[in-house]
């Protein structure tokens, strides 16, 4: 199951060992909060898949983990069925153009990512 860690500077997407193998990715995905352009909630994250899997694992309407390449840029997906999700659009120059995740904590993630000057430096929010 994807774990999300949010602090004042960074969003970290940690994958479980099986998910790392499916995504063909060894390290967690680290996204600077300054690079996050938009966060959208979705009831069906599978509708946001675009492009061609390279590398990763895809079983249509069952799971999608890894990198998808398209004319719009590379997307990172960690999507499972039966769960709502979140779509995170990133600024140009980042490793990925977009990150699509299945998580029941989408609303909490969107709130945690809001620019909040009251958030203390070093404070970490964990969404599992």
């Amino acid at each position: 199951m994807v774990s999300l860690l949010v602090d004042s500077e960074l969003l970290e997407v940690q994958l479980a060992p099986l998910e790392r193998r499916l995504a063909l990715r060894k390290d967690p995905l680290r996204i600077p909060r300054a690079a996050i352009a938009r966060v959208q909630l979705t009831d069906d994250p599978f509708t946001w898949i675009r492009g061609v899997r390279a590398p990763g694992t895809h079983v249509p309407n069952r799971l999608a983990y890894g990198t998808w390449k398209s004319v719009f840029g590379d997307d990172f997906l960690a999507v499972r069925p039966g769960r709502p999700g979140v779509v995170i659009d990133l600024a140009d120059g980042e490793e990925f153009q977009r990150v699509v995740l299945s998580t029941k904590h989408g609303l909490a993630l969107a709130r945690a990512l809001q620019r909040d000057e009251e958030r203390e430096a070093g404070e970490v929010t964990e969404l599992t």
Side-chain angles (χ1 to χ4, degrees):
M1 177 167 59
V2 173
S3 293
L4 305 168
L5 299 173
V6 180
D7 70 11
S8 60
E9 300 294 323
L10 195 69
L11 165 64
E12 185 171 304
V13 179
Q14 297 179 339
L15 302 174
L18 176 60
E19 292 171 324
R20 284 196 307 266
R21 280 179 285 213
L22 292 171
L24 300 174
R25 184 175 182 91
K26 294 179 184 177
D27 299 321
L29 179 61
R30 291 181 178 92
I31 304 167
R33 286 184 60 181
I36 297 173
R38 182 173 53 184
V39 178
Q40 300 175 75
L41 303 177
T42 179
D43 288 331
D44 185 6
F46 283 100
T47 62
W48 290 86
I49 296 175
R50 63 182 181 187
V52 188
R53 173 185 47 87
T57 304
H58 184 219
V59 178
N61 296 319
R62 292 287 177 223
L63 60 86
Y65 283 90
T67 301
W68 264 249
K69 296 185 179 289
S70 74
V71 296
F72 303 105
D74 293 353
D75 294 348
F76 179 80
L77 279 74
V79 177
R80 293 176 31 195
R83 291 193 175 163
V86 64
V87 180
I88 303 169
D89 292 316
L90 304 175
D92 292 335
E94 293 299 314
E95 180 181 4
F96 297 104
Q97 183 71 28
R98 191 169 69 173
V99 176
V100 182
L101 306 170
S102 289
T103 178
K104 59 185 177 182
H105 302 291
L107 186 56
L109 176 63
R111 286 183 181 152
L113 290 175
Q114 288 178 341
R115 306 252 183 242
D116 186 359
E117 295 175 2
E118 295 176 12
R119 180 182 298 273
E120 294 182 27
E123 180 182 341
V124 176
T125 303
E126 182 174 355
L127 307 170
T128 304

